[in-house]
Amino acid sequence: TPDTARPVCAALSSLFSSLSSASQAVGAEGLSRALTTAVVGGNAFGYEDVQEFWQVLLDKLEAELKSTPQEDLLREVFGGTQRAHVRCARCGNVTATDEEFYDIKCPVEAGSVRGALETLCATERLCGKEQYECERCGCKVDAERCLSWNKLPRVLAIHLLRFRSTPSREVKVNDEVAFKTEMDMADFVRPPAAWAPDSLP
């Protein structure tokens, strides 16, 4: 039956149906049970944080929707494309690599969602062990890299990275993060003006 063949879809549909008619809080035990039956590497899966839960949910839904009329539903709703720009410090050549994403992972130290996005998109220098292999120069060189988005999804999921790595352990960041009900994403869908547009593919 559809419920047994697609248990996560069925549980999610039931949850949404309850939410649409309920006058009080609705439990998500059914969805939780459907997801915790997921088996990864032969072991029952346990969720460490919201991001991990989100990724498992997407993976299970994508698997259950495969070969159905809704096969591309998740990509149509949550799928976007980000572009990594890299500029060689020696020859100035700029290359760009596109990658599909279903969520954006941001640091929380910036104090706001917009600040976190700006930090994520800020230009970083690639040097030392992080040097870039420039095809034009034929060797590893210092370079600069920045990120932009050339296609935003209908629903943008932003995951705040609340753990910071130190030499000895992972430290949880409990800083408050401010956000507005509306945010203009125009500044994030194009590379900085300093990056020569005529050298981008």
Side-chain angles (χ1 to χ4, degrees):
T1 64
D3 282 8
T4 57
R6 297 191 289 274
V8 176
C9 288
L12 197 58
S13 176
S14 177
L15 177 61
F16 286 155
S17 178
S18 298
L19 286 170
S20 67
S21 58
S23 58
Q24 55 187 8
V26 174
E29 292 84 358
L31 177 60
S32 180
R33 281 194 301 270
L35 283 172
T36 52
T37 58
V39 177
V40 179
N43 298 311
F45 195 82
Y47 312 115
E48 297 297 328
D49 56 24
V50 172
Q51 166 61 17
E52 199 164 22
F53 175 86
W54 170 248
Q55 190 58 58
V56 171
L57 177 60
L58 288 180
D59 289 346
K60 291 296 291 181
L61 288 173
E62 198 164 51
E64 290 186 7
L65 293 173
K66 190 174 183 179
S67 301
T68 73
Q70 293 79 36
E71 182 172 6
D72 295 323
L73 179 62
L74 295 178
R75 180 176 286 105
E76 292 169 358
V77 176
F78 298 106
T81 308
Q82 64 185 24
R83 172 168 287 191
H85 311 268
V86 180
R87 178 170 56 198
C88 175
R90 175 182 290 184
C91 70
N93 183 51
V94 178
T95 59
T97 304
D98 291 344
E99 182 180 0
E100 188 178 49
F101 71 89
Y102 280 26
D103 60 62
I104 295 175
K105 302 169 184 63
C106 295
V108 301
E109 290 92 337
S112 69
V113 171
R114 184 174 185 85
L117 290 172
E118 290 172 347
T119 299
L120 187 63
C121 294
T123 300
E124 62 174 318
R125 187 165 180 80
L126 305 177
C127 56
K129 293 182 179 180
E130 301 297 322
Q131 276 192 319
Y132 169 67
E133 185 78 36
C134 179
E135 292 184 1
R136 180 177 291 180
C137 295
C139 60
K140 287 191 174 183
V141 296
D142 288 353
E144 291 181 322
R145 177 173 61 193
C146 76
L147 183 70
S148 65
W149 291 281
N150 51 343
K151 177 183 178 294
L152 290 172
R154 288 161 54 189
V155 177
L156 176 62
I158 298 177
H159 171 57
L160 299 177
L161 301 174
R162 288 198 169 273
F163 286 90
R164 181 176 61 245
S165 296
T166 68
S168 59
R169 61 193 178 95
E170 292 278 311
V171 177
K172 186 172 183 179
V173 181
N174 292 310
D175 298 356
E176 182 178 313
V177 179
F179 63 93
K180 297 181 178 180
T181 55
E182 294 184 4
M183 183 169 60
D184 186 356
M185 294 291 292
D187 292 338
F188 303 107
V189 295
R190 54 177 174 267
W195 294 66
D198 57 349
S199 61
L200 295 177

